[in-house]
Amino acid sequence: GFGVLFNFIATFTFISFYLAKPPYNLSPAALGALFVVYLAGASLSPWTGWAVARFGRRRFVIRVLAVWAVGIALTLLSPLPVIILGLALCAACGMLCQAVSTGYVAVTAKAGRSSAVGLYVTSFYLGGSSGAALGGAIWSYGQWPACAETIIAMLAIMTLVVTFLWARRVPPGPQVPPLEAALFDSGRPVLVVPKAAPQTLARNVLVAWNRSTQQARTNIFALPLLRLAEQVTVLMVEGRREMGPS
């Protein structure tokens, strides 16, 4: 996360300084239009899950980082279209890395998953601040070529982190009993019946009403059975209710 935003800020901030100078002399409007290359990452991000499943998380990210380095190298060439192509590669690879990294933190955290994601986000923005501060000093020292070398060095560090610190296999999550998974994770109504199918169904229905949003949603799901019932009884227990819509 640190490296992703570090490289984004260092790239798109100081490449603008570079292209505003001769021989390019791009106007502020043209420099702003460079950010259209972000669409390359936006168009590829939905394929992240497929790529991770196809190539594996570590292998995929290492390849993306290699392509990212190629994109930075292209910005060191003179033709403006080649520089824009390099920036498009950088934008696409950066967004892919961000998507995979965030997912990796979420699936590998054994406890305190929200805290782990929060630490990742903190590291992400610290990287952006460092990219701006350190990038500025490096720009003053060696202009865009020095910035590009720094970004490639950060990509090398990121590659080492992924290669040696990321788990080769994501540990499986805890096993959830099938009934619990059906009730709470399927998002669909579940009818529990005994092994021997009853002769009649839903003639006399008891609704345990606790005023919760979940209960209201469940009643909506159960409407087809409630309409078939000869009698529907709504049971409310004093002192046993949740805050909800009614």
Side-chain angles (χ1 to χ4, degrees):
F2 182 96
V4 169
L5 196 56
F6 179 98
N7 289 341
F8 253 89
I9 297 298
T11 298
F12 286 94
T13 299
F14 300 104
I15 195 68
S16 298
F17 294 170
Y18 175 61
L19 295 177
K21 297 172 59 178
Y24 304 103
N25 295 316
L26 295 188
S27 66
L31 293 173
L34 289 176
F35 289 90
V36 173
V37 299
Y38 277 31
L39 294 176
S43 62
L44 292 177
S45 293
W47 296 91
T48 303
W50 173 87
V52 168
R54 174 67 176 82
F55 302 107
R57 186 174 276 101
R58 290 173 69 254
R59 185 183 303 175
F60 175 64
V61 171
I62 289 171
R63 292 178 179 180
V64 168
L65 291 172
V67 175
W68 197 343
V70 171
I72 290 294
L74 290 177
T75 64
L76 295 173
L77 302 178
S78 297
L80 182 58
V82 175
I83 294 175
I84 294 175
L85 173 61
L87 292 175
L89 290 177
C90 293
C93 293
M95 292 187 183
L96 290 175
C97 282
Q98 169 68 359
V100 177
S101 300
T102 306
Y104 177 79
V105 171
V107 300
T108 55
K110 296 181 180 179
R113 184 171 297 174
S114 59
S115 298
V117 173
L119 286 173
Y120 174 87
V121 173
T122 300
S123 172
F124 181 76
Y125 286 110
L126 284 174
S129 300
S130 301
L134 183 60
I138 292 173
W139 170 265
S140 299
Y141 172 76
Q143 305 291 299
W144 174 246
C147 290
E149 291 174 2
T150 303
I151 295 166
I152 291 175
M154 178 59 71
L155 290 171
I157 295 172
M158 294 167 66
T159 302
L160 291 174
V161 170
V162 173
T163 302
F164 295 106
L165 297 183
W166 280 27
R168 293 185 178 273
R169 292 185 179 181
V170 176
Q175 293 293 325
V176 179
L179 178 58
E180 182 178 339
L183 287 172
F184 299 108
D185 297 333
S186 66
R188 294 292 184 271
V190 177
L191 181 64
V192 181
V193 297
K195 289 185 178 180
Q199 296 298 318
T200 60
L201 182 65
R203 286 189 175 180
N204 189 357
V205 177
L206 175 67
V207 175
W209 178 247
N210 64 0
R211 301 188 179 186
S212 69
T213 302
Q214 293 83 357
Q215 180 68 65
R217 186 181 298 115
T218 301
N219 291 343
I220 294 297
F221 285 148
L223 275 179
L225 291 178
L226 296 178
R227 290 193 178 104
L228 295 175
E230 297 176 358
Q231 179 178 338
V232 176
T233 303
V234 178
L235 175 66
M236 297 179 61
V237 179
E238 188 69 26
R240 300 286 298 180
R241 69 183 188 181
E242 304 289 339
M243 295 301 295
S246 63

